[in-house]
Every structure is written in C-alpha cells, then in structure tokens.
Amino acid sequence: MKAISVLLVEDNPADADLTRETLEAGKLHIDLSVAIDGEQALQMLRSDRAMPDLILLDLNLPRKGGRQILMEIRADARLRHIPVVILTSSDAEKDVAQSYASGANCYITKPVDLWGFQRIVAAVEDFWFGVVKLPASGSVSPEPVAPAEGAERAHC
Amino acid sequence: MQPTVDRSPTPHFLGRESVPDLVAMAEVADENFRLAVEASPTGIVMADETGRIVLVNAEIERLFGYQREELIGRPIDMLIPECLGDAHPGFRSAFTENPARRGMGTGRDLSGLRKDGSEFPVEVELNPITTRNGLVVLSVIVDISERKRIGAERGTGDEQFRLVVEACPSGMIIVDTAGIIKFVNAEIERLFGYPRSELIGQPVEVLMPLRFRHRHPGHRDDFAAHPGTRPQGARRDIYGLRKDGSEFPIDVGLTPVKTHDGMAVLGVVADLSERKRAQEELDRQTRELQRSNAELEQFAYVAAHDLQEPLRMVASYTELLSQRYQGKLDEKADKYIHYAVDGARRMQRLIDDLLAYSRVTSQGKPLLPTQSAAVFAEVVETMHKRIEESGAELVCGALPVVNADQMQLAQLLQNLIGNAIKFRSETPPRIHVEAREHGREWVFSVADNGIGIDMQNAERVFQMFQRLHERGRYEGNGIGLAIAKRIVERHHGRIWVESQPGKGTTFYFTLPKTKDPQPEASKQAAISPSPVPPSEAGRIAPDMKVRQ
C-alpha cells in the first residue's frame, strides 16, 4: 500500500514534532514533510516531488502568512485540488471565516492539551484517509477549473 | 461806547438811546404789552445784530442776578458760561445769516452764567425780528433747573437699569422685527469687537458667520410668527462672528420685548468658548481613558492569548513524557513529571480564566430584552448533571424580562448557582433564585444554605483569583465571582453578598428595568423564543421547582 503523504506547514519545530509524534502513533503510515514557512511550502509543492494528499497549514507563519499560501495554492491549477486543513492555535472568528473564504477545507483550533490534540489528529486521519475519497495522485486534470467550481471540495 | 441807561423804575424798554428805532417802537407800544413782557415768567432778552443786549425783563434780572443797567449794551455772551461762550459768536453769526425761529442747542445741554459765576441749566428759544434798523434777536430763556432735578430723580431707576445692563456679563442685544440692531450692551461690544456705534442700525446678521446668514431672516420670521421665549441652550452650534473675522461659539436666548417702537427681540448672548474648551478637554480625557482602558484590556487579552502557545508546548510535552515514560524511569521521575504536568494544567486554567474575564467586555454582545426565566431554564439544563450529583434543589421565583446579553446573563446565573453548589454544607443544597422590583431596577437574588462566608471577606470574593479556602478543598481559581461582577457591571448593575457562616449565602445583583413596561407573557415569548413553554414564558410560574 502506497504511503499517504502529508505536508505540514509549521514554523515551530516543537509543534511540528508534536504533530509528527502524534501522527506516527496513529494506525496509518503517513509520510510527513514539514515546511517551516510559506515560501518553502510553495517551493516544495511546485517542485517535481509528488504532490501531498493533504496539507496541514498553520496560519501564523513568518514571511508569508498561512492565508496567503492558501490563496496561492487555490490559484494554482496544479495545486488547487489538494485539501487544506488549517491547524492553528487561533480561535478568532475572523480567522475562521477568512480561511474558509480563501478555500480552506477544514479549520481546526489546536487543543491546548495533549489528549485533545491526539484526538483531533486521529480524527483528521480518520476523516481524510478513511471517510473521504481523494483524487488519485497524478490523475489531476490539467484543465483550468473556475474557482467557483473548484469549491466542490469535501469539508470536515 | 456805553449806552446811557434809563433808570426808570417802571417796566419799560431800555436802551432807547443806542437803538433809536426801538424808542419809537417803545413809544408806540401799548402799556399792556410792556407789562406783559415785564411780568412774563420766562426770561426775555433782546440783542442786536452785534450781540449787544438791548432789552431784558425782570425775570432775566432774577435769573442771572444782574440789575438790568448792568446788562444793557453789554455783549449777550456775558450770560453764557465760558465753555460755551467761546463758540457762541460763531453760532450767532450763523444764525444771523440764516435767521429763523428755532430752539437753541436742541439736544445740547445749555447753561446760563449768573453774576456770581454759578451756572444753571436753561432752555432758549430764539426769535429773529426784523426792524427798520436791522435784525434783532428776541431770546426767551427758561430756567430748567427744577425740571432737570425732577427728571434726574425719575431717571435714577433708568440709570440703575442701564448700569445693570451694561455690567451684565452676558451680551444683550435688541433687534427690531426688520432685523436691525437697536441696542447692544458693553458685553456685546467686547464679545464681537465692535464699538456700539458701528452696530446700531446694522442688520443683526453682521454678527453671524456668512454660512448662517442666509438662513437667519427665515428664522427671524419664524420667531416673529411664533414669538415666545427661547431659552439658552435650546440650540446647538451657533457661532458669532467678530469684527476681526474670527468666530466663536455662542449660546443665544431670545425673548420678545415690547418697545415704544413696536415689538423687538432681546437676545442674550453667552460666549461658550471657555465652556466648549472645557467640554473638549473633558471629552479628550474621556477618550484617552477609554483608549487606555481598551489598550489595557487588549494587553491582558494578548498576553494571555500569546502565553497559550508556549504553554501548549510545555503542557503537551510534559504530557507526552508522562504518556511515554510513566513507570519506565524511577519513582522520582514519575513524581517530577506529574508536578510539571499539573503545573502546566493549572497555568492553562488561569490563562483560560483570564481570557474569559477579559472577554466579558471585549466580546460582549449588545444588551437586548431577554427573558431571564428562559435563561435560567437553559442554565438549569446545562448544569443538570452537577445539580443532580449534588442533590441540589433549585427553586425559582418570578423572573422578569431584562436588558441583557443573554450569554452573559446565563454565565452569571451559572457562576452564582455553581458557587452555591460548590460551597454547600453537609445538607443537600437548596438554592432559591428570584427577582424583586426595586425602584428602577430588578434585584435578583441567589440564596443558598451552604457553608457561608465571613462578611469580612464580602468584598474579596469578587476579586480575581482570591480564594477563601485552601487549595485542593474546592476546585477553581476564584475567577467565577470576578466574572460575575464584571458581567453585572457591564449591565449597569451592582452585585453584593450577604452571608452568615454556617447558615448560607445570598448573592444579590441588580439589572436596570427595561424602558418599556413589562410586556405580556405572549409578547415576551415573541421577543425571545425560549425552550420554556409559552405558559411559562417570561415569568416562570412562582416557585417552579427544579428538582433533579
């Protein structure tokens, strides 16, 4: 079985490690890449490497904010099909609304305690890699899709 | 050349030698006429073209204190005080050139000069008489000392009134119905920088900034159509225009007044510059205070919020340590990890509490008419597990509609009820919630039969993180009542506590009544739909028991 690949965009290494630890403890084998800022994330996505199946995106990032990255992903015909889960410590209504408006598939406020966080990560794994049907890697149509039509994404 | 004098004691014309024509006149004059002139109660003096006296009557002698022989042939200017006398020859020649009967010095105060040097006020009428020998002037002189004295007495009232008006610290201005300034006092001169001579007779609009002028005649007509006193402060943002072109804020009170020229308007003008400056300063300070409060609020929020991030790491990793390595290291390691985890959790709760406290004001919703009974029902629903576990009995009296942030009212009730459950005694808690009308507010009470508190600590319970009991005995950080207080204060109410240790505690809080009278129950349901059945909407039936 092909490994599921996830790109985590997170500038805090402690946070990134925590996510990695938590994902590794789960039942699925997940190949996790970490980008420490937006520039690096977009660079990785636009390289020849295989596309991730899911992007976990922090909002508060240096150089290029999470929302900006999200908008660039959604504006890029090659990337716009990738589901993006916002994973942030912010619970501000403004951030939630703006994230969905910019094309986020899902918005999660990181729980402050470890058990809560573990529960959330397990739920994300279960939903995106158990419940939801994702497009197969490499099957992406190069045809440009109007942004409005591109809105047919799964939301958790 | 001095004329010779006829010293005849009988009344008659004098100076006939120097004016031969008058002799003839006198000779033909009727005796009655002479008597009349002599007996006239007004002074009569006749002068020739050169200003020499040719005739006087007895009254002139009396008035001026001269014998007539001292006057005949002398210049008439001797009867006039020096200050006027100097100008007199000029007046005289002007009169000679254009003789006509006239009052002399109309509008001027004229005086006569007595032989003893004293002066007295006179009124003079001049009558030119052409004789064969040329022009003579018959002057009729009346002593007006008495009239002046009476006038002055009568004038005292007017004078006092004038002084008051002049000294008045408000500007006073009288404007006629055509908008023409009829009168101003000294303060108007000072305020607007005009001498009054430049204002009298001008349209009142000269005192207004250009942008208001075109509207004013309309306002004036309105006032004329509906005259009535317009007190000061009735209008806002009126400005006066000074002579130098600068503007200043004024307040104007208008009163219709009846003058001898008809209706007019008395305007009382106050300079608001100082008041306005003070008001602006007060506004500025208020804004500054609000800004600094908001900043502090924001600071507390941001501090608490930003503390969460590093704390989340501390908590998560100590928990991860505990999960992975509990029992795998030695006993001490287990204990240390436990302390770290516990410390991080407590800090997390403190930050949560701080944020909750901060959100009372930062994220409060508008105050709207809210059925407190419905809110109470929701709270009971939310807390039912705790109520059940504690065996508490809740009794609710009639609860009104209040202006509130529904969520916060719920939090308030929940905190107070939660407090009552938490600090219960050995016996099962019995909690009574009710509201009573008191003047313009509702006084809510939440009474329990719990352990009570020492009234010495009555104020402390509302302070943040103040605990009256040792840690571990009761859960919590002591934020609940601080939040309750903050919520009540945001709702313009007060909160206080009455308690007896061992007997119980009653928390009271007030909420202002809604402006409208309490609507009917059905209306209340319409205002704020609630899970409470319509029959119970608004006011839960008295003593509804919520027994879990």
Side-chain angles (χ1 to χ4, degrees):
Chain A
M1 181 187 167
K2 184 184 163 293
I4 298 162
S5 88
V6 171
L7 172 64
L8 171 67
V9 190
E10 170 64 70
D11 64 312
N12 180 357
D15 233 329
D17 272 354
L18 193 66
T19 308
R20 182 192 299 281
E21 286 279 347
T22 311
L23 282 173
E24 280 174 1
K27 356 181 243 270
L28 294 174
H29 176 62
I30 291 175
D31 179 7
L32 185 76
S33 324
V34 178
I36 59 163
D37 62 42
E39 296 289 357
Q40 196 188 2
L42 288 167
Q43 209 180 337
M44 286 165 75
L45 287 167
R46 285 166 180 161
S47 73
D48 295 337
R49 294 161 49 147
M51 295 284 172
D53 297 299
L54 184 75
I55 298 172
L56 299 175
L57 180 62
D58 192 9
L59 282 185
N60 192 12
L61 292 167
R63 296 209 285 174
K64 192 169 270 187
R67 197 165 154 248
Q68 179 61 33
I69 300 167
L70 176 59
M71 288 192 289
E72 290 190 32
I73 289 170
R74 289 296 177 245
D76 189 326
R78 284 185 61 251
L79 306 177
R80 66 161 61 109
H81 66 281
I82 306 172
V84 175
V85 171
I86 302 293
L87 191 59
T88 177
S89 55
S90 165
D91 63 351
E93 280 172 30
K94 196 184 90 190
D95 284 338
V96 179
Q98 285 182 347
S99 295
Y100 282 112
S102 305
N105 299 79
C106 178
Y107 187 105
I108 295 169
T109 301
K110 291 175 202 170
V112 288
D113 63 297
L114 182 66
W115 288 280
F117 187 65
Q118 288 167 337
R119 198 163 48 76
I120 289 296
V121 170
V124 167
E125 271 187 73
D126 189 40
F127 181 76
W128 287 102
F129 306 118
V131 177
V132 168
K133 179 81 179 155
L134 292 173
S137 303
S139 72
V140 181
S141 156
E143 290 166 32
V145 182
E149 294 164 53
E152 283 181 36
R153 293 182 297 266
H155 283 268
C156 58
Chain B
M1 184 193 95
Q2 284 286 346
T4 51
V5 172
D6 179 349
R7 290 185 176 279
S8 162
T10 51
H12 57 284
F13 290 101
L14 289 162
R16 76 186 83 166
E17 288 86 358
S18 59
V19 194
D21 288 336
L22 284 178
V23 177
M25 192 178 101
E27 281 167 356
V28 297
D30 182 62
E31 178 66 10
N32 286 343
F33 172 70
R34 273 184 280 134
L35 282 171
V37 170
E38 195 56 21
S40 166
T42 56
I44 294 172
V45 57
M46 192 180 280
D48 67 13
E49 218 163 324
T50 65
R52 286 184 187 279
I53 298 169
V54 294
L55 180 148
V56 296
N57 71 350
E59 180 65 5
I60 290 290
E61 288 180 301
R62 196 187 66 76
L63 284 177
F64 289 89
Y66 286 102
Q67 295 297 313
R68 66 188 68 195
E69 49 272 29
E70 292 174 276
L71 293 170
I72 300 300
R74 303 289 303 280
I76 197 161
D77 298 348
M78 71 186 284
L79 301 179
I80 298 164
E82 252 175 61
C83 58
L84 291 171
D86 290 349
H88 196 251
F91 292 139
R92 201 150 31 70
S93 51
F95 181 81
T96 323
E97 275 164 30
N98 184 21
R101 184 172 183 272
R102 73 180 72 159
M104 191 166 138
T106 310
R108 237 180 273 162
D109 282 345
L110 294 179
S111 298
L113 180 66
R114 293 197 188 94
K115 187 181 178 182
D116 65 7
S118 62
E119 295 175 19
F120 62 103
V122 293
E123 203 172 76
V124 182
E125 196 180 292
L126 304 175
N127 299 281
I129 301 170
T130 310
T131 68
R132 272 170 288 165
N133 233 356
L135 188 73
V136 294
V137 179
L138 181 71
S139 304
V140 179
I141 298 173
V142 180
D143 179 0
I144 56 169
S145 306
E146 188 66 6
R147 204 201 299 168
K148 277 243 170 190
R149 193 183 58 73
I150 294 167
E153 277 172 9
R154 205 181 282 147
T156 313
D158 291 348
E159 178 63 8
Q160 279 178 353
F161 180 73
R162 197 187 64 81
L163 285 172
V164 168
V165 170
E166 278 303 289
C168 180
S170 292
M172 290 186 176
I173 181 167
I174 293 178
V175 175
D176 70 12
T177 46
I180 301 299
I181 299 171
K182 290 298 183 191
F183 167 85
V184 297
N185 71 349
E187 182 65 4
I188 290 282
E189 292 183 298
R190 197 188 67 77
L191 287 176
F192 290 88
Y194 286 98
R196 68 188 70 189
S197 59
E198 289 180 26
L199 289 175
I200 305 296
Q202 295 296 312
V204 67
E205 283 81 11
V206 300
L207 300 177
M208 300 170 189
L210 282 172
R211 62 182 187 282
F212 298 130
R213 281 184 197 175
H214 66 283
R215 290 205 301 263
H216 193 253
H219 290 324
R220 227 172 347 88
D221 292 346
D222 285 352
F223 188 80
H226 310 282
T229 300
R230 309 269 157 94
Q232 288 200 330
R235 286 177 297 165
R236 276 157 192 233
D237 293 330
I238 308 178
Y239 289 85
L241 180 69
R242 294 197 189 91
K243 188 181 180 185
D244 65 10
S246 59
E247 294 183 15
F248 62 111
I250 53 173
D251 193 6
V252 182
L254 300 177
T255 310
V257 289
K258 209 177 208 168
T259 71
H260 48 79
D261 293 332
M263 284 309 291
V265 177
L266 169 68
V268 178
V269 181
D271 181 358
L272 297 185
S273 305
E274 207 38 56
R275 213 189 296 169
K276 203 135 184 157
R277 253 195 297 281
Q279 186 58 44
E280 277 166 8
E281 177 59 17
L282 199 65
D283 290 350
R284 195 190 60 72
Q285 285 177 356
T286 308
R287 277 197 305 277
E288 179 60 22
L289 203 64
Q290 282 170 344
R291 191 195 58 76
S292 106
N293 267 345
E295 214 165 64
L296 205 65
E297 193 87 24
Q298 182 66 9
F299 171 79
Y301 184 78
V302 168
H305 191 263
D306 287 3
L307 280 173
Q308 274 193 319
E309 263 308 288
L311 178 64
R312 195 166 54 81
M313 289 299 105
V314 174
S316 296
Y317 277 100
T318 50
E319 282 165 9
L320 198 58
L321 270 177
S322 143
Q323 278 183 8
R324 296 274 169 89
Y325 301 102
Q326 184 87 33
K328 291 183 184 162
L329 305 169
D330 63 10
E331 238 177 72
K332 271 190 177 171
D334 284 354
K335 195 160 78 181
Y336 296 167
I337 290 171
H338 169 75
Y339 288 156
V341 168
D342 184 54
R345 278 187 198 155
R346 269 194 287 121
M347 184 158 175
Q348 187 59 57
R349 277 199 300 272
L350 285 175
I351 288 175
D352 286 347
D353 288 348
L354 268 181
L355 285 172
Y357 184 78
S358 168
R359 282 181 184 127
V360 171
T361 48
S362 68
Q363 303 193 2
K365 301 278 184 288
L367 309 186
L368 300 170
T370 303
Q371 295 178 43
S372 54
V375 173
F376 172 79
E378 273 173 47
V379 168
V380 169
E381 181 63 29
T382 309
M383 299 181 78
H384 88 272
K385 203 169 163 207
R386 276 182 76 191
I387 294 170
E388 197 175 312
E389 281 168 4
S390 65
E393 181 190 9
L394 251 76
V395 181
C396 178
L399 294 180
V401 170
V402 290
N403 264 334
D405 173 337
Q406 189 171 336
M407 296 254 291
Q408 291 191 344
L409 182 59
Q411 191 181 2
L412 172 62
L413 289 172
Q414 189 168 337
N415 286 6
L416 294 179
I417 293 167
N419 209 72
I421 293 174
K422 190 201 282 186
F423 297 104
R424 61 180 177 268
S425 58
E426 300 303 315
T427 54
R430 191 171 189 282
I431 302 163
H432 190 106
V433 179
E434 64 174 18
R436 287 175 198 278
E437 276 187 86
H438 187 265
R440 298 162 72 174
E441 55 190 16
W442 289 100
V443 181
F444 286 74
S445 56
V446 179
D448 65 43
N449 57 346
I451 57 172
I453 54 169
D454 191 332
M455 282 303 281
Q456 277 184 335
N457 296 317
E459 276 306 307
R460 260 183 72 197
V461 295
F462 297 109
Q463 287 169 23
M464 227 194 297
F465 302 138
Q466 289 286 333
R467 307 166 54 98
L468 301 183
H469 306 280
E470 69 277 22
R471 186 182 306 287
R473 180 149 176 215
Y474 296 100
E475 265 290 294
N477 296 315
I479 193 78
L481 293 175
I483 288 176
K485 182 167 195 255
R486 205 161 203 215
I487 290 174
V488 170
E489 284 170 357
R490 193 183 156 239
H491 285 71
H492 317 295
R494 293 163 289 121
I495 188 168
W496 69 96
V497 64
E498 282 171 17
S499 184
Q500 251 187 307
K503 293 264 166 102
T505 303
T506 304
F507 280 96
Y508 296 92
F509 66 90
T510 65
L511 294 178
K513 283 187 189 170
T514 49
K515 287 204 181 78
D516 308 321
Q518 288 286 308
E520 300 296 315
S522 56
K523 276 192 196 162
Q524 290 176 1
I527 288 167
S528 167
S530 76
V532 178
S535 62
E536 290 177 87
R539 290 174 166 231
I540 284 187
D543 288 320
M544 178 194 84
K545 288 192 182 180
V546 187
R547 179 132 211 178
Q548 303 286 338

